[in-house]
Every structure is written in C-alpha cells, then in structure tokens.
Amino acid sequence: MKKFFTEQLLAWNQEQNTRTMPWKGIKDPYKIWLSEIILQQTRVEQGLPYYEQFTTAYPTVQHLAAAPEEEVFRMWQGLGYYARCKNMLAAARQIVDTFQGQYPDTHEQIQTLKGIGPYTAAAIASFAFNSPHAVLDGNVFRVLARYFGIHTPVDSTAGKKEFAALAQSLLPANQSAVYNQSIMDFGAVVCKPQQPACLQCPLSAKCVAFKQQLVAQLPVKTKKLVIKKRYFYYIVLEYKDQVYIRKRTENDIWQNLHEFILIEMPGPINANELEAYTAFKEVMHNIPYTVQGISPAFKQQLTHQTIYSQFILLTAAKAPELAHYMAVPRARLNSYAFPKTITDFLQNKSLGLF
Ligand code: SF4
C-alpha cells in the first residue's frame, strides 16, 4: 500500500502535475524559506505577489537583514500574522550574525532559526538540499489521513507523532525534494479539502477513505475554531495637520503595527454616542474638539477574531497632550505600517472623511 502510494504520487507529479509556482524547483534556501514563511496560514494566490515583492526588494538574506524594520513591516502589510514577519527579520539577522550570511544547510541548524519549526525546516532542508525529511503541512495531513484511513485527530499530540512517522516512512531514497513537492501539490489540486477529484485520482484503487466513503469525515480535528468578535472605535484626532498614532506593543493582534487612538468596547455601540462613554471621556479629557465625521464600520476577518472598526474624526482646538501617542504629519502617515482595516480606511477616499 505504501509502495503504491509513493510510486503513484511520483508518477502523477511527472505526468500530470501542472501546478507552477515561482519558487518550485529552485535550490536557493533563502528564497525557499521566504516562500515557506509567506505561505504559512496564507493561500498561494494571496502570497504570490508578496513573494515577488520581497525577492525583488531583498534579493539576498543580507539585503533583508539590513532592511529597516518599518519598511519590512510595510511590505508585509495585508498578510496578517505579524509575528511571522518579525521572526523572519530576526532570522535573517541571525543568519548574517551567526552563520556568516550562509543559509544553514542541515535540518537541525535550520530549526535554530527564529520562527522555524520542524516542518518548515523539513521543507527547506529537502527542497534546497534534498535532505531526507518529510514535510507535514495541511495538504499532507489530509492526503495521508484519507488514503490510509487514519482517524487520529491531526491536531492532537498522538496524531502529529503518528502522521510524522508515517510521512517519514513514505519518503523515497534520494528523492525527498520531488516527493515532498508532489504530495503538497497533490493535496492542493487533487485531494482538496472540498470536492476532491476522487474519480480521476491515481490513488483511488487503494484509498481507504474512497473505498469506505469516509472522504468527507477525514481528516479528523479535535479543536473547533472559536471566532471572537471585537469592536474597535478609533479616534482619528487631528491638530494642525498632525494626526495622533501609536505602535501596538501588547501581546495581542497587530503587534508592531500602528493605530489611531483606540477605544475597544465589549459590544457594538452607536458611534454617534461614543462621546457619552467613560472610556472616551478619559481619553479626551481636557481636549476641546469638534467632530468632523464618522466612518461606516470596517470589517477584518482574522483566523480567530472578527474585528469591526469605526473611525471617528475629531479636530482638536488646542495641542493635545496624549501619553503613548505621537503626532505625525498627515502626509507622512503612509510611511507607517498599519493593520489592513486602517489601511482600508485611509485609502477609501470616497468617504470624504480623510
Ligand atoms: S481517492 Fe479521493 S480521498 Fe482518496 S486520495 Fe484520491 S482524492 Fe484523496
């Protein structure tokens, strides 16, 4: 069953795999690594333009390591999960400082880089150096769970161990790069999460899920995704063409990105009535102002949270004293990295508010 699996997969890759991606087949570990980091939690179509931008702006790890943090964060804008960006920059600097600018070439050393776990290290080590390490991403979990009929939850410790051992046992000698790429592509284009192409699948003759009609039940996951709703009311306070912003430093979403004066409410409110709330009064205490406008609600969907934001534009009648916020000329706002929802607001000229 295992031999059939590996042989069919490699044959499929050679004869039918038409999935093209700019990083496929390249051996530069730096570019492979960039593609892996960009694609974590991101769809290929969404990640592709970012990969192009990053490799053009920073063709080598030295270029990335020397780049100003703010510039890199701005380029990352829209990809979400900013910890990935922060770790990516830290790892680039680590390669320059600790590995003399040479990308490490063993699975063990690659794992010492910031933000790289065993599976990403396996992908880089196998694609760049053909090291014998099996990749285990969402696509691989799904293909293995269905073909072998495994019901152990893929997000459990036992499941991770079981799938890792199975994946490793399937790896053909000296062909880890092409095999890993094949199984990932196969999961993306044939054994897809919804409506897999079982009738055209070269594995169907021995696929347990197909034969036992379990395709829709596999893979099994234990944790249900709980999505929390959050309500952000942003005060966009202007005084003499300067606007007040701050960098988010808390251990929360959007760390290291900038924002206007935030009032978070436990539930939705009528933004016209925000002035009546204590949180607003505390912030605007002693600052005379006039209201210029209120935006409609903007929505940003994150994996675990839905963020609803509204922007309240105020003009201060005297220079505000606000701890933790800095005054930035309105024309320079675009040199700061903001979460997508704020960028959407700033770019939406049709509102006529900003
Ligand atoms: S037969 Fe269907 S479920 Fe089984 S491996 Fe092929 S596509 Fe996946």
Side-chain angles (χ1 to χ4, degrees):
M1 193 172 181
K2 283 186 179 179
K3 195 164 167 274
F4 177 82
F5 180 86
T6 306
E7 282 173 2
Q8 291 298 319
L9 208 58
L10 290 174
W12 171 83
N13 183 57
Q14 210 170 17
E15 292 156 18
Q16 299 177 51
N17 188 2
T18 51
R19 199 175 187 223
T20 54
M21 287 176 295
W23 51 83
K24 241 171 104 169
I26 60 169
K27 291 290 165 198
D28 179 348
Y30 165 67
K31 289 187 178 159
I32 292 169
W33 166 67
L34 275 185
S35 72
E36 288 295 325
I37 302 299
I38 288 171
L39 291 187
Q40 283 170 2
Q41 324 265 1
T42 302
R43 284 176 298 110
V44 172
E45 311 79 69
Q46 192 199 352
L48 236 154
Y50 286 88
Y51 172 80
E52 305 283 6
Q53 274 177 44
F54 270 95
T55 48
T56 304
Y58 314 118
T60 67
V61 71
Q62 283 79 5
H63 289 92
L64 179 59
E69 192 176 297
E70 205 56 52
E71 182 184 290
V72 178
F73 271 102
R74 256 201 337 271
M75 197 172 291
W76 189 268
Q77 226 164 243
L79 269 178
Y81 291 100
Y82 284 84
R84 277 191 292 164
C85 180
K86 201 175 164 203
N87 286 338
M88 181 181 76
L89 194 52
R93 291 174 179 163
Q94 205 182 338
I95 293 164
V96 169
D97 297 342
T98 316
F99 295 99
Q100 293 75 47
Q102 288 294 313
Y103 204 96
D105 58 6
T106 66
H107 184 246
E108 290 68 33
Q109 281 185 332
I110 295 170
Q111 273 192 78
T112 65
L113 298 174
K114 199 100 174 107
I116 297 199
Y119 306 134
T120 308
I124 299 166
S126 68
F127 295 147
F129 308 110
N130 208 23
S131 302
H133 294 280
V135 165
L136 205 49
D137 71 350
N139 286 320
V140 181
F141 275 119
R142 184 170 58 256
V143 176
L144 296 184
R146 287 176 175 168
Y147 177 80
F148 290 97
I150 303 170
H151 290 259
T152 320
V154 292
D155 54 353
S156 64
T157 311
K160 282 181 185 146
K161 234 170 138 180
E162 184 178 343
F163 280 95
L166 174 61
Q168 196 61 32
S169 73
L170 293 163
L171 209 59
N174 304 319
Q175 295 190 79
S176 53
V178 67
Y179 170 81
N180 279 336
Q181 192 65 62
S182 306
I183 191 166
M184 289 163 83
D185 287 353
F186 187 82
V189 301
V190 180
C191 196
K192 298 172 284 182
Q194 311 298 331
Q195 298 177 333
C198 298
L199 296 178
Q200 288 88 46
C201 175
L203 301 177
S204 62
K206 298 198 179 200
C207 174
V208 174
F210 181 63
K211 288 196 288 186
Q212 299 181 7
Q213 298 186 346
L214 292 169
V215 177
Q217 277 89 63
L218 294 173
V220 173
K221 282 187 190 163
T222 44
K223 292 174 203 135
K224 279 226 158 51
L225 195 61
V226 181
I227 299 185
K228 184 176 162 191
K229 290 181 180 174
R230 295 176 74 178
Y231 301 89
F232 288 4
Y233 295 87
Y234 277 119
I235 301 176
V236 185
L237 184 63
E238 207 175 339
Y239 177 70
K240 292 199 172 166
D241 228 27
Q242 310 244 64
V243 183
Y244 290 78
I245 63 171
R246 68 160 199 144
K247 195 182 226 184
R248 286 177 68 92
T249 53
E250 307 84 5
N251 191 14
D252 192 0
I253 56 167
W254 302 339
Q255 205 180 31
N256 289 310
L257 299 188
H258 292 80
E259 65 181 357
F260 300 113
I261 301 165
L262 172 64
I263 295 178
E264 182 172 0
M265 301 301 281
I269 61 159
N270 180 345
N272 289 302
E273 292 164 7
L274 183 66
E275 292 166 289
Y277 287 84
T278 313
F280 178 90
K281 288 178 187 158
E282 280 171 2
V283 174
M284 294 305 291
H285 172 70
N286 274 341
I287 307 175
Y289 64 87
T290 47
V291 179
Q292 303 299 337
I294 297 175
S295 80
F298 286 73
K299 179 180 167 186
Q300 185 172 350
Q301 188 63 59
L302 308 175
T303 310
H304 297 98
Q305 301 186 24
T306 309
I307 311 295
Y308 297 93
S309 304
Q310 249 182 302
F311 298 85
I312 296 93
L313 281 82
L314 305 180
T315 302
K318 68 170 193 181
E321 282 173 27
L322 287 163
H324 314 303
Y325 286 88
M326 57 182 171
V328 171
R330 184 199 257 261
R332 284 208 53 238
L333 275 178
N334 60 4
S335 56
Y336 292 86
F338 291 103
K340 183 176 178 303
T341 206
I342 296 186
T343 310
D344 287 349
F345 162 72
L346 289 171
Q347 287 174 351
N348 194 334
K349 303 289 176 216
S350 69
L351 294 173
L353 294 173
F354 206 67

